[in-house]
Every structure is written in structure tokens, then in C-alpha cells.
Amino acid sequence: MNLPNKLTLSRIVLVPILMIFIIPIPQSIINSDILGFMRPQLIAINDFLAAYGGYIAAGIFILASSTDAVDGYIARKKKLVTRFGKFLDPIADKLLVTAALLALVQSGDVNGWAAMLIISREFIVTGLRLVAAGEGIVIAASNLGKLKTVLQDVAIVAALLDNFPLSLFTTFRFDDYAMLLAVIITIYSLYDYIKKNLSVINTNN
């Protein structure tokens, strides 16, 4: 396995680690009789996650997201593009964003509708690309799609940090507005993809 593929795989490995720092241990587990002997330790873990989990998760997310640009650059620069890499890279990207959004919904930091719209867009575009691939057509990532990715990443990091360090100076909810903008661009990018590739899913074919 070459270096770009290892970097892509590392992005997938970081997904469950990311979720551990976002989602606290459920109270049903903490209060269970089986783990009663560990209750003080489990409560201490949740206290730690409440205080620092978001910051650690933001660092993990930024690290994982950065590997997306790095692995693609190395693969193209050193001519290490493989079928396995082409298959794994988009899966790693979608797993990372989906996991972060679902965890943030569960923690109450992101609206469920925002997560649903962003995730739905990825399903639809992936399906469109699969149909196009079956016809021998390659749908390349657009600049609008790249902007969508950047805005989503910024919004997710802002939510993980709970607006820190802006929260030190203002009560303005940057994370909410960043997520709203990300959703708007996500929906528009979906419209743009469908409009430009409508012939791929023409019902007369």
C-alpha cells in the first residue's frame, strides 16, 4: 500500500476516535449495575469530555481533513494514483463529515435538518457519479463542490470548538451562521451538479 492510500486509510481510522471525543458515555451505561464499580471513573471521563472533548475532536477533524489534500497531491505528484485510492478517498471524506455531523447532532450542537441535507446531497451526488461511471462518463469535482467542502469543514470545526476563540469576545453564533451558509451552498452545489449532468439521469434513456 502506497503512502497516499495509507493517508486516506488513516482518515477512516480517525473517524471512531473523533466520535469518542464528541459523544459522552450514555447515562444508561454509567448507571448500570454491571459497571457500578467504575461509575466515578466514567463520570470523570464525561466531565473531561465536556471540558476538553470538543477541542480535541476539532484537532482530530482538522488533522483528518488535511490528509485529503495531502494524499491527493502526493498521488498526483508521484504518479501513485490507484484504483483502490480512487475508491477509498471519497468514502473516507464522506465518512468523516457524516460521522462528525451525526455526533454533533447527538450532542445537540448541530441541527438535525442541516445534517440531513448535507448527508443527502452526498448520497445523491454519489449516485449520480455511479450512474455516469456506468456510462463511461467521469464527473469531476467542481469549484462549487470544493467551496462546499471548505464551508462544511469550517462549520463543523466552529461547532466542535463552540465558537472558541470568538466566544471570548462576542456572543455572535458564528457556528450557526457558518452551518447555515454551508447548507445553502451544499444545496446549490447539488442543483448545479444535477443541472450540468441531467443527461446522465434522463428518464428517456
Side-chain angles (χ1 to χ4, degrees):
M1 184 181 294
N2 61 37
L3 179 58
N5 289 346
K6 288 180 180 178
L7 288 172
T8 303
L9 191 59
S10 71
R11 197 151 68 250
I12 295 176
V13 172
L14 287 171
V15 167
I17 300 174
L18 171 74
M19 296 185 72
I20 287 172
F21 285 100
I22 303 174
I23 303 175
I25 301 170
Q27 286 299 317
S28 58
I29 293 178
I30 293 177
N31 296 327
S32 66
D33 293 333
I34 296 175
L35 297 177
F37 69 98
M38 292 181 58
R39 190 167 295 129
Q41 289 79 11
L42 296 177
I43 293 173
I45 290 173
N46 270 1
D47 290 342
F48 175 82
L49 292 178
Y52 305 106
Y55 304 117
I56 298 172
I60 294 172
F61 185 85
I62 292 170
L63 175 63
S65 298
S66 66
T67 65
D68 183 28
V70 174
D71 61 13
Y73 173 78
I74 294 175
R76 291 187 296 270
K77 184 76 172 179
K78 297 187 177 294
K79 295 181 170 45
L80 296 174
V81 178
T82 64
R83 289 182 181 176
F84 180 69
K86 290 179 180 179
F87 163 76
L88 198 63
D89 187 67
I91 291 177
D93 297 341
K94 290 170 178 55
L95 276 177
L96 179 64
V97 171
T98 299
L101 287 172
L102 290 178
L104 285 167
V105 168
Q106 182 168 335
S107 66
D109 294 310
V110 167
N111 183 277
W113 278 103
M116 186 277 293
L117 289 169
I118 290 173
I119 295 170
S120 296
R121 184 266 184 197
E122 299 305 328
F123 273 111
I124 295 169
V125 170
T126 298
L128 182 61
R129 282 177 168 164
L130 286 173
V131 173
E135 299 294 325
I137 301 170
V138 177
I139 301 178
S142 67
N143 290 332
L144 193 58
K146 294 174 182 177
L147 174 62
K148 174 268 308 178
T149 299
V150 171
L151 290 175
Q152 286 178 6
D153 289 350
V154 169
I156 288 172
V157 171
L160 289 171
L161 293 175
D162 194 23
N163 286 312
F164 181 84
L166 289 177
S167 58
L168 298 175
F169 313 104
T170 177
T171 58
F172 177 72
R173 296 300 304 183
F174 173 77
D175 59 339
D176 292 339
Y177 287 97
M179 187 61 68
L180 176 61
L181 180 60
V183 169
I184 292 171
I185 297 301
T186 294
I187 294 172
Y188 183 72
S189 71
L190 173 61
Y191 163 76
D192 185 64
Y193 265 103
I194 292 176
K195 183 181 74 170
K196 290 180 178 177
N197 300 281
L198 193 60
S199 60
V200 175
I201 53 175
N202 192 323
T203 56
N204 295 321
N205 292 337

